[in-house]
Amino acid sequence: MRYRTIGEGTNAREVSAIALGAMKLGGTVDDETSFAILDRFVEAGGTFIDTANNYMFWEPGCSPDDSETLVGRWRADRGASSTAGLTIATKLGARPTVPGGGMESWEGLSAPAIRAAVSGSLERLQTDRLDLLYPHVEDRSVPLEETLGALADLVTEGTVGLVGASNHAAWRLERARGIAEANRWPRYRVLQLRYSYLQPRFDIPLPQMGHVHATPDHFDFLREENAAGRPTTLVTYTPLLYGAYVREDRELPDAYDHPGTPKRRAALAEVAAQTGATVNQVVLAWLIAHDPPIIPLVGVSTVEHVDEAVAAADLKLTDEQREILDNAV
Ligand SMILES: NC(=O)c1ccc[n+]([C@@H]2O[C@H](COP(=O)([O-])OP(=O)(O)OC[C@H]3O[C@@H](n4cnc5c(N)ncnc54)[C@H](OP(=O)(O)O)[C@@H]3O)[C@@H](O)[C@H]2O)c1
């Protein structure tokens, strides 16, 4: 496993170069398998786990508590000595406030909503401190000052380690940075967006509600931030496109239906054949070596998925292989 630093100074943390998405754990994935998945990830050197306070409210038979509760139970069961050094990230803001409700009743990012959400996450995760907390989505009905001030209070009192932002437009991130800087509040140090090797057309919406794909503006922002000495890390979700790189049963959304897609698929097949790695592993290795660098956040439902993903952290592509992949457009 390789490792990356997120945050800086006294709040810096070492995390694995691959993050594990716990979205389905405790929900559509049974407890025994979920525990085995988390155990295997940690055995392989994984230290970065992602959950949210609303996974998977949209799935019949699941509750928004499922993923956090499962991760909390697993951590308590395995004990401090086995789970020390992990970074467990969670998200807030997109949880329905009405049982059985949908996004029309989401909690949002007002100061009271943030307080209430954090209290619920602490309880479910069985902890008194959240390592990394992201607003899951934007809430433009609330002034950014209110949201950032509430997050700053949580950091000051030690309830939250680092703050990040998920699914935010690049211009909102820059606005948030300015407000945080002016008030000496913690800024968003980790960004979470959708991104993989295959690129969608931006004029065709993605079918997944709320997904915000990384844009050239996000990458521009990240490079500028890091060059200015404000370390900011990019974590990207849906890196395997739900298995669509390799599985006949997974269709790519319409946004990926353009001439670049077959060229990229051919480049992946060529590099996979050269390296002996799987296509999924080449995708993950390409993301890890991306400029700016990316921590891929992989969703899994079996231990075999974990094994395939973590092995990708040790796959180093040559300059020629990167060129083959980058030039396929
Ligand atoms: N911030 C956000 O708004 C946001 C949005 C979405 C996700 N996330 C986070 O990102 C994580 C990952 O995203 P994701 O689940 O949407 O996408 P993903 O990682 O691209 O897809 C995960 C799914 O792909 C399949 N898969 C995984 N490994 C495979 C393999 N080796 N071979 C074949 N199929 C494989 C599995 O499907 P089956 O389980 O059906 O077999 C798995 O559940 C989530 O767990 C969550 O933590 C964040």
Side-chain angles (χ1 to χ4, degrees):
M1 181 57 75
R2 282 186 276 165
Y3 295 89
R4 296 266 316 273
T5 302
I6 59 170
E8 63 185 324
T10 50
N11 279 329
R13 304 180 72 90
E14 290 284 298
V15 294
S16 48
I18 299 248
L20 182 85
M23 186 166 75
K24 294 183 174 176
L25 308 190
T28 53
V29 179
D30 66 53
D31 287 11
E32 194 186 335
T33 310
S34 299
F35 273 42
I37 282 171
L38 290 162
D39 286 342
R40 181 63 67 90
F41 182 63
V42 171
E43 274 161 30
T47 62
F48 198 7
I49 296 168
D50 184 86
T51 181
N53 73 349
N54 71 350
Y55 293 156
M56 311 220 306
F57 78 83
W58 56 88
E59 193 69 24
C62 294
S63 123
D65 294 353
D66 288 345
S67 172
E68 283 190 332
T69 302
L70 184 289
V71 172
R73 280 198 285 116
W74 169 79
R75 179 161 56 181
D77 190 80
R78 295 314 189 234
S81 59
S82 313
T83 58
L86 297 186
T87 295
I88 298 179
T90 194
K91 313 184 204 77
L92 86 186
R95 178 183 169 96
T97 53
V98 178
M103 288 302 280
E104 74 292 339
S105 71
W106 71 333
E107 62 198 346
L109 297 175
S110 68
I114 288 175
R115 277 276 156 199
V118 165
S119 153
S121 289
L122 291 171
E123 197 181 323
R124 287 185 290 276
L125 287 167
Q126 303 193 36
T127 182
D128 54 8
R129 182 179 162 92
L130 303 176
D131 303 324
L132 167 61
L133 177 67
Y134 305 85
H136 205 153
V137 289
E138 292 186 23
D139 180 359
R140 296 192 187 181
S141 72
V142 171
L144 261 175
E145 284 80 356
E146 179 175 338
T147 299
L148 290 165
L151 293 171
D153 288 345
L154 290 162
V155 173
T156 305
E157 70 194 39
T159 309
V160 169
L162 291 168
V163 287
S166 165
N167 295 317
H168 282 46
W171 72 267
R172 294 278 292 180
L173 294 169
E174 171 54 19
R175 184 167 289 184
R177 183 198 65 78
I179 293 169
E181 205 162 275
N183 290 282
R184 297 177 183 270
W185 289 336
R187 60 183 177 79
Y188 294 140
R189 292 170 195 274
V190 185
L191 310 183
Q192 192 175 129
L193 295 157
R194 174 167 169 159
Y195 192 67
S196 184
Y197 175 63
L198 290 184
Q199 302 299 310
R201 288 172 51 169
F202 284 113
D203 56 340
I204 298 182
L206 294 167
Q208 289 82 18
M209 191 181 61
H211 280 201
V212 174
H213 200 275
T215 63
D217 276 353
H218 286 109
F219 292 126
D220 195 17
F221 174 77
L222 274 154
R223 286 190 198 98
E224 288 291 321
E225 285 298 277
N226 286 305
R230 292 187 291 269
T232 310
T233 305
L234 177 60
V235 171
T236 70
Y237 61 81
T238 319
L240 300 180
L241 296 171
Y242 306 114
Y245 283 104
V246 294
R247 284 167 62 166
E248 298 284 329
D249 65 328
R250 296 293 143 94
E251 265 188 41
L252 283 173
D254 289 348
Y256 295 86
D257 186 8
H258 59 80
T261 294
K263 290 181 193 163
R264 289 215 147 194
R265 280 191 179 278
L268 279 175
E270 187 181 344
V271 173
Q274 284 181 14
T275 56
T278 67
V279 163
N280 283 332
Q281 288 170 335
V282 174
V283 170
L284 297 175
W286 181 84
L287 290 167
I288 291 171
H290 193 273
D291 170 30
I294 287 172
I295 298 180
L297 168 52
V298 185
V300 295
S301 58
T302 66
V303 168
E304 290 71 31
H305 291 161
V306 179
D307 288 341
E308 187 172 348
V310 294
D314 296 319
L315 172 64
K316 292 207 178 100
L317 302 173
T318 63
D319 290 347
E320 291 74 26
Q321 287 162 347
R322 280 204 59 83
E323 260 173 47
I324 292 170
L325 294 165
D326 290 346
N327 293 340
V329 285

